[in-house]
Amino acid sequence: MPPRLRLQLAVEELPLKVPFRISGYTFTQIPALVAQLWDAERIGRGEAEGVYYFDDTPARMAVDIESRRAEIEAGITRDELRELLPIGGARNALDCALWELEAKRAGQPVWKLAGIEQAVPLTTMFTLGADHPATIATAATARADATALKLKLSGELELDIERVRAVRGARRTSGWVSTRTRAIHSIHSNASCPCSCKRVYSCSSSHWRAAAKRISTLSIARFRSPPMKAVKGSPTSKVCSACSMS
């Protein structure tokens, strides 16, 4: 049986060096929930930022975890955590803390406990905000070490086109997002949810179809459409977690 634990939660505001802009929102700081678990000798730490537009905020995560404090402090394993809390930031923060705690008990790094033969660096994307094209070009040039870039667009078609051109001009030789693929993925105006609920979705704005056509000449790897909304009157017998977050 796992040893008893002591739980501590705190919400930290992590300031950004520069504002980060997306469509309709500007971030100047990122709030994060920090979870710490102590046994008699060791401490495990984890954190999560959540997804604000799913209402998965640090404050909400803290409430969810506090509602299960007794079970958590009684001693819990990672497998038991999956049954205790649903998918989301609260479970993520505690899962990370439990991984670190388990690694310290075993005297091994987390990657070994996870069954990985060798730890290797992974490529991740550096995201450029929906800023003025000149600002974006400067940022893209400054991050020459980033081999994969993602650009946020705002929905202002002409300005979005200039943003894409700015990145292509700044990083033409090294490529943008992926140098292996030079085609835009298809954007479907209607699509079915991949799960058993069979909900039908429709792209909420013609902007993205127009943008896809215009941007297709700019040699990017992928153009991602916004979240699609359920069509009124479509089947809603059982909503899956993917649908509920769309």
Side-chain angles (χ1 to χ4, degrees), residues 99-175:
W99 269 110
E100 184 178 36
L101 201 56
E102 186 176 335
K104 288 180 176 179
R105 289 169 180 162
Q108 295 185 15
V110 167
W111 58 269
K112 279 192 175 181
L113 292 181
I116 298 174
E117 293 184 2
Q118 183 177 359
V120 295
L122 300 176
T123 299
T124 186
M125 286 190 175
F126 182 82
T127 304
L128 302 168
D131 290 305
H132 187 278
T135 302
I136 293 172
T138 300
T141 301
R143 294 313 304 258
D145 57 327
T147 59
L149 298 177
K150 180 170 72 172
L151 173 63
K152 290 289 187 179
L153 303 179
S154 65
E156 304 161 281
L157 181 54
E158 296 305 323
L159 185 54
D160 284 344
I161 294 294
E162 291 307 311
R163 287 171 174 141
V164 174
R165 285 176 174 157
V167 177
R168 290 303 304 157
R171 297 293 296 272
R172 183 171 298 278
T173 56
S174 59

Side-chain angles (χ1 to χ4, degrees), residues 170-193:
R171 297 293 296 272
R172 183 171 298 278
T173 56
S174 59
W176 173 38
V177 182
S178 172
T179 58
R180 293 173 297 176
T181 306
R182 296 296 179 128
I184 292 177
H185 290 189
S186 299
I187 298 178
H188 302 284
S189 58
N190 291 282
S192 297
C193 174

